[in-house]
Amino acid sequence: MELFDKIESTASFIKSRIKETPTCGIILGSGLGGMIELIENQTEIHYSEIPNFPVSTVEGHAGKLVFGTMGGKNVMLMAGRFHYYEGYGMQEITFPVRVMKALGIEYLFVSNAAGGMNPKFDIGDLMIITDHINLFPEHPLRGKNDSRLGTRFPDMGEAYNKELIEMANYLAGRMEIKVRSGVYVGLQGPTFETPAEYRWLHTIGGDAVGMSTVPEVIVARHGGMKVFAMSVITDLGITDIPVVITHEEVLEAAKIAAPKMAALVQAMIKTI
Ligand code: HPA
């Protein structure tokens, strides 16, 4: 089946299972599952039930879609995303974003856990992503372009919507939530970076580094969605003290920062 037909069939399956069409999509990063509690009138669909959906394999990622209302808007939340390092192809990783677009979602909120490289950052900081550097070895739009999904050569001058960034800064100020801003570098993992790699990634303009987000954002922009994304800084790559990073520490740090991120995203969705 062609990608377009797969997307349409998955979207119509989902439509048959939900009451209201969502306008905002949310993708949760590792350890950020707490946001689910802010959704009212929930309907859950597990990935294993959804035609054409891959199944998530990483600890800290639940593997379900949650529909309901948040800040008075209909939302669709992905609890558990697909990573390139799990062995999925780019088309599989980004398939849920295509389905969101087919369901009529205009706004995409993406979150992730990331390693900080900006020396001013601390563990537990929230970073608004203002731009990214794509270091994945494969591009999600590689191959024949289907113009029903988007243009062949999408502009990436404003991958992260400026108005949404402004709104986030304004609301964070009012809510007394400290936020950082910066450039996210996306690469494949699953190893964390060597000290030399962290230094290099900072040198080329990166403030945080992680193993997700970039493919999803590219596909969302291909489809013309407005994107807002945030990182929780769960470890620091550039310090004088050698550090050992574990997935457990990443999840722990993410859990602490998660309520702040959830409150901010909720306030943004309410304001949109
Ligand atoms: N590097 C890459 N991915 C990550 C990191 C990191 O330091 N922390 C959380 N995800």
Side-chain angles (χ1 to χ4, degrees):
M1 220 198 295
E2 263 198 87
L3 176 62
F4 185 84
D5 300 317
K6 271 193 196 170
I7 296 163
E8 290 297 309
S9 86
T10 304
S12 52
F13 167 82
I14 290 173
K15 274 185 204 154
S16 75
R17 295 282 298 268
I18 57 174
K19 293 167 218 117
E20 311 270 359
T21 316
T23 51
C24 296
I26 303 168
I27 302 177
L28 287 187
S30 303
L32 298 170
M35 204 183 295
I36 300 173
E37 285 155 30
L38 299 182
I39 300 180
E40 292 166 71
N41 304 313
Q42 293 189 10
T43 303
E44 276 185 15
I45 313 178
H46 286 264
Y47 293 167
S48 55
E49 300 174 65
I50 306 173
N52 307 315
F53 247 59
V55 175
S56 167
T57 66
V58 196
E59 193 199 329
H61 289 263
K64 65 184 178 190
L65 297 181
V66 183
F67 295 86
T69 55
M70 187 195 265
K73 306 277 184 343
N74 292 310
V75 300
M76 165 178 167
L77 178 143
M78 274 185 82
R81 59 145 62 89
F82 306 105
H83 302 85
Y84 190 72
Y85 63 75
E86 294 177 82
Y88 300 114
M90 281 293 178
Q91 219 175 71
E92 288 173 293
I93 294 170
T94 56
F95 185 74
V97 177
R98 295 287 188 201
V99 173
M100 284 180 177
K101 170 73 190 175
L103 287 169
I105 289 176
E106 294 167 54
Y107 293 93
L108 179 64
F109 292 81
V110 188
S111 61
N112 59 56
M117 298 176 303
N118 186 320
K120 293 191 183 131
F121 289 3
D122 292 311
I123 289 176
D125 276 355
L126 294 181
M127 185 190 90
I128 295 171
I129 302 178
T130 53
D131 205 348
H132 74 220
I133 297 174
N134 179 15
L135 293 184
F136 278 88
E138 210 188 311
H139 199 284
L141 303 182
R142 179 171 175 266
K144 190 170 173 284
N145 187 62
D146 187 333
S147 58
R148 292 169 293 184
L149 300 175
T151 177
R152 169 77 288 187
F153 300 109
D155 179 68
M156 290 295 279
E158 197 184 321
Y160 300 85
N161 186 271
K162 284 210 172 73
E163 283 166 26
L164 293 176
I165 292 171
E166 255 172 49
M167 186 199 290
N169 278 311
Y170 171 75
L171 291 170
R174 263 198 8 190
M175 297 164 78
E176 296 183 7
I177 295 173
K178 184 176 123 190
V179 284
R180 310 284 200 169
S181 300
V183 173
Y184 176 89
V185 183
L187 34 68
Q188 65 174 316
T191 45
F192 293 111
E193 290 63 40
T194 63
E197 286 166 343
Y198 282 120
R199 284 195 301 274
W200 170 64
L201 294 171
H202 183 51
T203 307
I204 63 168
D207 296 293
V209 55
M211 309 171 194
S212 67
T213 302
V214 167
E216 294 147 347
V217 170
I218 289 172
V219 164
R221 293 300 300 141
H222 187 233
M225 296 161 94
K226 292 192 173 107
V227 175
F228 178 78
M230 271 189 127
S231 294
V232 176
I233 304 301
T234 56
D235 51 271
L236 299 173
I238 301 184
T239 59
D240 295 333
I241 318 144
V243 282
V244 178
I245 305 162
T246 66
H247 185 55
E248 289 66 35
E249 282 171 334
V250 166
L251 294 181
E252 232 5 81
K255 223 189 269 169
I256 294 163
K260 289 187 286 181
M261 179 186 283
L264 185 55
V265 169
Q266 184 186 38
M268 289 180 75
I269 289 177
K270 193 174 173 186
T271 310
I272 277 168

